[in-house]
Amino acid sequence: MTEGFSGSFTSGYEQFWRKSTESVDGAIKSSLIVLDTNAVLNLYRMKPSAREEYLRVLAKIKPRVWIPRQVADEFHRNRLSSVATHLNSLKSKADAVSQGAEELRSALRDFYKLHSLADGRSSEYLKPFDEMLSKITDTVTGEVSEFDLTPEGLLSRDAILERLASLFDGRVGEAYSEDAQKEVMAEALRRGKGKVPPGYIDVQQKAEKGVGDYFIWRQMLDKAKSDSVDILFISTDVKEDWVRVQCGFTIGPRPELVREMMSVAGVTYHQLPLAVFLSKASRVLNVMVSQDTIDQVNERTPLGAQSRKRTRGHDFTQRRLREAEQRLFVARAELAEAENVRTISEHKIQSVRTLLDRARIEHGGDDAALPVRNALIDLDVAQFHHHQVLNELRAAQLRYESERDQRDAYNEELTMLNVD
């Protein structure tokens, strides 16, 4: 037998592959779910409807959610400033839209004047553009006014914080002792200098002020080791010291993190962007999460806008997503119609059974009586038709589930593309 040619070609390399849908679904259902700081602060940047959907997801995972002490510290330091920053961004973008609309109106008026349309017809030609631009600016203004949070308002009463307290109280990690704090700080700086993930980018840029990511990671390791529990980390961080990117695609968490979690705690480690988690949670946890909510999270993924422009596959996937959403809309309507037909069919069977019972009573239970025989035939026909209806309903359910899964896959791919 030839020496040195034994062993598996694939075993031991799992951390280099993107996790299967089944594996990720299983992590969402059973792992300890850890949120990073921005995954929590995103609640303060969402519209009320999206915020409520996200909070319902958090309520679903409440028994399995855990917040590192570092995340809690960063959250309370940045809660008000995150709202102020978001408000300023909303207002500046709304002002830019209004200014751009007015510049376009002015340019169109000048254009028509040059083409000898100053005889009164220019307003006729410009009316459709004015109406369109007014709708756009009104929509943008409405988006700004719909946002219901201000730093001043949160000082007097913060309903989000109250909800989070009910969800997270008793599920936050303990603070380090002074000696442990110094040891973890020294390790963070050592790893940062050696480019050991995670967090080395911030350490190299900010020194001691950039150790937050490693503190979160260290606290996750401690928790996983003490409780012997698999970890699912929900993050908005797509920097290279957290995720592995190859050929423009995010494969998953850095292999070093998967190995370290297994080595230190003996458990598996999963990591998902917040938008992907919400999309999958909608299906896995059976809780409503709209596409608008997922889009809002995607828009606030760091470096997202620039990455979308640079990633060659983004436009193609975006087009596929729109097509999938259209098919899903049709499939949802077909499913609703099939469910309605099933309800009608069930009522029909119940009505025929009622008539059969009456006929039997009237004819002393004689199934040979003509009215009874006719009712039995009607019941057979109704049941046969109901069987066909159930088959059509199941087919509609399978079509809907298939289109929904395809939509979710494209959403996940778009989020994965939003990286440098």
Side-chain angles (χ1 to χ4, degrees), residues 155-255:
L155 284 173
S156 57
R157 181 173 183 266
D158 187 345
I160 301 174
L161 185 59
E162 293 172 4
R163 295 278 293 276
L164 291 177
S166 70
L167 292 168
F168 296 160
D169 277 359
R171 310 202 63 79
V172 180
E174 297 293 330
Y176 284 130
S177 67
E178 185 176 346
D179 288 343
Q181 182 90 0
K182 291 179 181 178
E183 183 272 319
V184 176
M185 173 71 74
E187 179 65 7
L189 296 175
R190 183 194 69 78
R191 289 170 66 122
K193 187 177 297 185
K195 297 186 69 172
V196 179
Y200 63 76
I201 292 178
D202 287 349
V203 171
Q204 291 180 343
Q205 293 174 350
K206 307 173 188 177
E208 290 189 358
K209 293 182 178 180
V211 299
D213 280 3
Y214 178 68
F215 268 71
I216 292 172
W217 175 247
R218 180 67 171 265
Q219 288 161 5
M220 276 197 287
L221 286 174
D222 293 343
K223 179 67 174 176
K225 184 177 181 179
S226 66
D227 292 10
S228 296
V229 60
D230 294 336
I231 298 292
L232 170 58
F233 185 44
I234 309 302
S235 175
T236 60
D237 200 330
V238 293
K239 296 194 296 294
E240 68 174 31
D241 56 353
W242 277 106
V243 299
R244 179 170 185 264
V245 180
Q246 189 171 20
C247 300
F249 295 96
T250 298
I251 308 301
R254 287 281 295 254

Side-chain angles (χ1 to χ4, degrees), residues 287-307:
V287 56
M288 175 62 187
V289 180
S290 66
Q291 187 60 43
D292 181 57
T293 296
I294 296 168
D295 289 342
Q296 286 184 56
V297 175
N298 260 332
E299 285 301 316
R300 280 181 285 280
T301 298
L303 306 178
Q306 298 90 331
S307 299

Side-chain angles (χ1 to χ4, degrees), residues 71-126:
V71 168
D73 292 345
E74 292 175 358
F75 167 82
H76 286 284
R77 284 200 301 268
N78 296 295
R79 177 174 59 95
L80 297 181
S81 61
S82 68
V83 175
T85 301
H86 182 61
L87 274 173
N88 290 335
S89 176
L90 278 178
K91 291 174 181 176
S92 65
K93 289 177 181 177
D95 291 342
V97 170
S98 298
Q99 181 180 347
E102 189 53 43
E103 289 175 353
L104 179 56
R105 285 191 180 98
S106 178
L108 287 170
R109 285 194 294 267
D110 291 344
F111 175 80
Y112 282 121
K113 287 177 182 178
L114 286 175
H115 284 73
S116 303
L117 291 175
D119 56 358
R121 288 192 297 147
S122 60
S123 59
E124 176 185 339
Y125 283 95
L126 286 170

Side-chain angles (χ1 to χ4, degrees), residues 10 17 78 192 218 230 244 254 320 327 340 344-345 356 389 397:
T10 56
W17 314 333
N78 296 295
R218 180 67 171 265
D230 294 336
R244 179 170 185 264
R254 287 281 295 254
R320 288 293 186 89
R327 293 194 303 272
N340 184 51
I344 294 172
S345 177
L356 174 60
V389 166
Q397 288 172 331

Side-chain angles (χ1 to χ4, degrees), residues 48-68:
S49 58
R51 187 185 310 140
E52 188 59 35
E53 289 183 354
Y54 186 9
L55 284 168
R56 283 200 292 267
V57 172
L58 293 179
K60 278 276 189 178
I61 63 172
K62 178 180 177 179
R64 293 183 293 109
V65 75
W66 186 74
I67 306 298

